[in-house]
Structure formats: structure tokens, C-alpha cells
Amino acid sequence: MPQTADDLDAVAVRTWCSLALDALGREREAIDAINVYPVADGDTGTNLYLTAESAAAAVEAVFAAHETGTSAPSTADAVRAMAHGALIGARGNSGTILAQLLRGMAGVLAEEPGDRAGPERLRLALTRAAASAREAVAHPVEGTVLTVATAAAEAAGRTEDGAGAGAVARAAYEGARIALEATPGQLAVLGRAGVVDAGGRGLVAVLGALVEAVSGRAPERPATGPTAPAAPAPFAAAGDCAVDDPEGGPAFEVIYLLEAGDEAVGRLRARLDVLGDSLVVVGGDGLWNVHVHVDDAGAAVEAGVEAGRPYRIRITHFAADRLHARPEPAQRAVVVVVPGDGLGGLCAEAGATTVLARPGEPPASGELVDAIRRAHAREVVLLPNDADLRHTAAAAAEQARAEGIRVALIPTRAAVQGIAALAVHEADRSFDEDVVAMTAAAGATRYAELAVAERQSWTMAGICQAGDILGLIDGDVAVIGQDVPETARSVLDRMLAAGGELVTLVLGEDIPDALAATLEEHVREGYLAVDTVVYRGGHQCAPLLIGVE
């Protein structure tokens, strides 16, 4: 049960996160179904829910870490965990802005000298949240969640000096609710549809949860009006983005976490602002969440590579029709798990929905199901590109099938097999024919990778020492070498001894282009009529991936 103490401590923060998650869960489908602005991709409610879920999980982890100790987590511990969880789990434009709102609040609440934040601190936190969210958006637009957040902060600031934290939170909620009702008159696309802003509606739900967490009593929800259950499509609450024209626009949504300094992020903002729109960069202290809509997904990722180390890269290909509240699903889509950001951009440009497999952090089945949903197609071909993901991918495919999506799982064991399958994908032929062709292309591709031995070990090629370069062919160690070029040539020779027509090389971020040129020359001089293609894989666990078809 929510506590009744009229201030904010660690337990209240935990309760707030839990209640906010429940509230967004109740409204998620309604907000998704009516999302029309700026892209009719129907995911604003889901993005807010997933962001809040990550925040709540981080707070729960802090409390779990203190269960065996003698003390409970401090308010500063709880709010910092909430902000960090939201930052690393932020989804979409709406989730990214919510993460910055929570970060802005946390920065103030964590500074409280005691362990309970009172009304004055809460007023300041709401003000800081609204200001920091506006700063994070490249081109703020009124009538969006930014407007609702500002109204909430201003309403909280007008409360009397003797008011408690519960009264401040309730004033913020009421101010946000009133501002939400006014959004159709502030943003033309909302006025034409006769609807409110979806991100703002989500923020009202979050603030309602704050009221309940601090005061112990939930605010009354109006039975009618813009915060009541939504009207059916095509009338919709609009997504909270910062672009002026909801019609047309870039083809891709690119999101990634970025480890970089402030100066590098400043340069990144300027470059991404030229590349696309809906630019939101949130975070600080060396960790950032970057969101942008662009036509050149690869360039957006490359800009991140130049600024620092991007990871957890998510690239979504928008549906072509942006004018309906819920566009018709495409007939067919491909979902690909990729081991590096470079391949993510390559596959996205080919029309696939990508899931990044981070080194040491393979995607969970939930991430794969989410990607299948994002693909928004009646038929989906799933390429896991990793033998260890076969059970995870199978579980995701089964769950998607239960939701009415026809899913074919092609058991690709390496990224180069996925590239080969994607290369022959043709959406115009029947689903079965397409799956057979893609499966055949993947099966005809032998795969290899180079790895660095971490310790002395027995292998099928003999004993390796720490630091040795291992050449794995079809998953087994076949070559032990002392350097990358020598080992790569030996691996190629072994693979091409059985024949081949095309060699695919995927270079890791630390591998120079000169190695690709050396290996291309080696293939050209030693094997007639064998072509070589080279891709940059970006940040991936293996320095070199090799495919032979």
C-alpha cells in the first residue's frame, strides 16, 4: 500500500515507480492505438511503459542489494537508480523525454541533506525536470509533453509555502491535466484530429502515481475528456515529438546509448540535427541516450562512433504511410540480430528491423518479441545469427505467433549467414518460397571468426596460450596464430579449399582497412573467380568475421 507520510523518501520513490508502471500499463494499449504524431507507428504508450519498467527495475535492484544489510537505501540511492534505469531503458522519443524528466528530478532530490525530500525540494525538482527536458530536445514544440511538464512545474511552484509535498504533487498533476486538455489548440495536427498529446497523457499518469505515492491517495480521474479512455482510431492522442510536420519525414528511427564526454556530445547534436529531426539527447556524466529520425541510419550511427562508444543500438524502419492513426501492417518483414552497430546500419538500410547483440549481453526473448512487433508485419522472418540464441529465438517466435503474427525462424548461426539470407530476401514472392530461398542461402554460407584467447586452453587445434589469435570455423577452433593477418589468411585457405564463389569480411572497429585490402589480394591471387565484399561491423566482440558462399 502507498505510504501516507507527506514527503518523498526512498520507499516513496519505490512506490512511485511501481504505481507509475501500473498506470502506464493500464493506458499503454489505448495510447498505442491512437498514436498519430509525428509518426503513426503506434508505440508511444509502449515506449513510456518500457522506460518506466526499466526505471522501476533499477530501483528494485537497489532495494534488493540492501536486503542483506542493516540499512535501507537512501533517497539519493533510489532516485539515482530510477534516473539511471530510465536512461538506459528509454524507448522512442516519448521514453527518452520521460527519462530526462526523471533525471532532472533526481538531480535535485539526490541533493537533499536529509533523507526525506519535502515540498520545497519537490517544487524545485519539477522545475528542473521541465527545464532539462526542453534543453534535451533540439527543436521544442508547444502542445507536446514539454508543455505539459512546464505547466506541472509552474502549478507546483504556485502552491503556498505551508503546503506539504502531497499538495505540491497534486498541484503538479492538476496543472499537467489542464495543460493536456489545451494541447489541441497549441499544435495544429492535434487540433485537426481533435485530440491531445499522447506523451503528455503519459506524463499525467506518471504524476498521478506520484500523488498517490506521496499522499497515499490517488487523484480522481475524470470520467470524460482527454485523459479518459481514448476514442477509437483514427482519432488519436499524438506522440510527443519535436517536429513541425507530421507528414512525410525520415525513414528510420535510430536510438543508442553513448559513452562520451560533453564536448563530443555537443558536436554530435550539431551533426545529427543536420541529418534528421526529432533529435533528443539526454543524460550526462559520460552516459547519454540518443534519439533521432533520419534517412541515413548508418550516418547517424557513425556520428555516434565518432563521438564516443555507442551501444544498444536500435534502428527502426518506419512504415511508409504516416497519415493514418494505425497504418496497415506490411505483408512481410525481416528481423535480424546483429553483433555490431555497423551491421545494424547495413541491415536497416536493407529494410530489416535490427536487434543489437552486445558483447556478453545476448538479447532476451522479450527484446526479440519487441522487435517483431516493431516490424509491424503480418509475416516475419527471424534471423538470430547465433547458435546460442536458438532457444531464445524459438520462444520469441512462439510468443509472436500467439499474437497472430506468422513467424519463420531461420536458424542462422552467424552474422554472415544472416547477411547472405537477407541478400536473397524478396517480399514479392510467397512467404514459403522466400523462407526456403533465405534458408538455402544461409545454409550455403560457411562461417568463421577470429577471437583472442583469454587463457591457456585445450582446443581442437591444440593448446592455445592467453593472447593467441584463434580462428574458429563453423564454431570450432581450427587455427591458432600469433597475429590477425596470418590467422585470417590460414582460415581463408582452409575454407576456400572446399570451394567458394564469394568471401564476406566483416571488420571490427579496431581492425584497419589495410587488413581488408591484404585479404582481398590474398583471395584474388590464390583463388580464381572468387569475389570479396567487405563491411565495417563497428563495435563487435570479434575482430573479424568471415563468410564463404
Side-chain angles (χ1 to χ4, degrees):
M1 293 293 293
Q3 66 178 54
T4 57
D6 196 18
D7 52 16
L8 198 67
D9 61 7
V11 174
V13 171
R14 183 188 197 183
T15 303
W16 177 27
C17 289
S18 176
L19 292 172
L21 189 62
D22 289 344
L24 290 171
R26 288 192 299 269
E27 297 217 27
R28 180 182 65 83
E29 291 186 5
I31 295 175
D32 279 348
I34 56 176
N35 175 206
V36 297
Y37 173 81
V39 179
D41 49 359
D43 64 356
T44 295
T46 296
N47 287 337
L48 289 168
Y49 177 84
L50 293 173
T51 303
E53 183 180 45
S54 182
V59 173
E60 288 300 323
V62 167
F63 272 84
H66 282 76
E67 284 181 354
T68 56
T70 58
S71 62
S74 66
T75 302
D77 291 336
V79 295
R80 285 172 181 150
M82 173 186 71
H84 181 73
L87 177 67
I88 64 174
R91 303 290 188 95
N93 207 22
S94 53
T96 306
I97 293 174
L98 176 61
Q100 188 68 355
L101 288 167
L102 296 179
R103 179 179 173 83
M105 291 189 69
V108 174
L109 297 174
E111 296 170 356
E112 174 64 33
D115 205 35
R116 306 179 76 89
E120 186 57 38
R121 184 63 59 172
L122 184 55
R123 290 189 192 98
L124 181 58
L126 290 164
T127 300
R128 178 80 63 82
S132 62
R134 281 188 178 270
E135 292 169 0
V137 175
H139 302 288
V141 172
E142 296 306 325
T144 66
V145 66
L146 301 177
T147 305
V148 176
T150 298
E154 291 174 348
R158 290 192 295 268
T159 54
E160 297 178 356
D161 290 341
V168 173
R170 190 173 298 275
Y173 168 80
E174 292 296 339
R177 189 177 61 79
I178 293 170
L180 178 64
E181 294 174 356
T183 54
Q186 296 172 303
L187 191 56
V189 65
L190 303 184
R192 289 194 297 269
V195 298
V196 297
D197 177 70
R201 178 173 168 175
L203 179 58
V204 168
V206 172
L207 290 174
L210 177 62
V211 173
E212 187 173 0
V214 175
S215 69
R217 190 174 69 180
E220 293 183 6
R221 298 180 176 88
T224 60
T227 57
F235 297 100
D240 51 286
C241 217
V243 297
D244 295 309
D245 180 10
E247 300 180 5
F252 299 100
E253 179 185 55
V254 179
I255 306 173
Y256 50 80
L257 292 179
L258 177 69
E259 293 178 356
D262 291 359
E263 291 185 7
V265 170
R267 294 190 295 271
L268 175 66
R269 288 179 191 266
R271 181 170 178 190
L272 292 180
D273 197 21
V274 173
L275 287 175
D277 60 31
S278 299
L279 173 61
V280 185
V281 181
V282 304
D285 301 321
L287 181 61
W288 308 83
N289 191 303
V290 179
H291 170 280
V292 68
H293 294 175
V294 293
D295 281 321
D296 189 343
V301 173
E302 182 62 28
V305 172
E306 292 178 2
R309 186 176 82 85
Y311 60 105
R312 292 196 183 182
I313 299 168
R314 295 165 52 86
I315 300 174
T316 303
H317 186 224
F318 289 129
D321 184 1
R322 301 165 182 264
L323 302 179
H324 297 87
R326 184 63 174 172
E328 284 295 315
Q331 182 61 34
R332 190 174 310 150
V334 179
V335 173
V336 186
V337 179
V338 293
D341 41 44
L343 288 183
L346 174 71
C347 293
E349 289 173 4
T353 298
T354 62
V355 179
L356 181 64
R358 300 168 291 278
E361 297 181 53
S365 61
E367 291 182 73
L368 299 184
V369 172
D370 181 45
I372 292 172
R373 292 172 182 147
R374 285 188 290 115
H376 195 48
R378 297 182 180 89
E379 302 168 341
V380 172
V381 180
L382 177 58
L383 305 175
N385 293 341
D386 186 340
D388 292 337
L389 285 178
R390 62 188 183 277
H391 297 307
T392 301
E398 191 63 31
Q399 182 174 341
R401 292 184 189 116
E403 297 177 9
I405 304 171
R406 187 181 185 189
V407 180
L409 170 59
I410 298 179
T412 48
R413 301 167 64 87
V416 289
Q417 290 188 325
I419 293 172
L422 189 58
V424 301
H425 164 60
E426 291 184 16
D428 292 337
R429 60 189 168 199
S430 74
F431 186 62
D432 291 337
E433 289 175 339
D434 199 26
V435 171
V436 168
M438 295 175 72
T439 303
T445 303
R446 299 187 67 200
Y447 62 94
E449 67 176 81
L450 301 193
V452 179
E454 297 179 355
R455 57 186 179 275
Q456 185 185 63
S457 180
W458 288 90
T459 76
M460 295 186 66
I463 300 175
C464 68
Q465 305 296 327
D468 284 348
I469 306 299
L470 308 179
L472 291 84
I473 300 177
D474 295 336
D476 295 322
V477 176
V479 177
I480 300 174
Q482 301 303 308
D483 59 52
V484 171
E486 169 204 342
T487 309
R489 285 192 292 267
S490 297
V491 169
L492 280 170
D493 288 340
R494 287 180 178 241
M495 297 180 76
L496 289 170
E501 300 176 354
L502 177 66
V503 171
T504 300
L505 304 176
V506 181
L507 309 181
E509 63 179 349
D510 296 327
I511 299 300
D513 291 334
L515 176 62
T518 297
L519 296 179
E520 283 186 272
E521 183 179 1
H522 179 74
V523 172
R524 185 170 54 251
E525 292 182 351
Y527 304 92
L528 296 177
V530 177
D531 295 323
T532 303
V533 293
V534 180
Y535 301 111
R536 273 280 170 194
H539 184 72
Q540 59 187 34
C541 56
L544 179 66
L545 305 177
I546 301 173
V548 174
E549 301 176 47

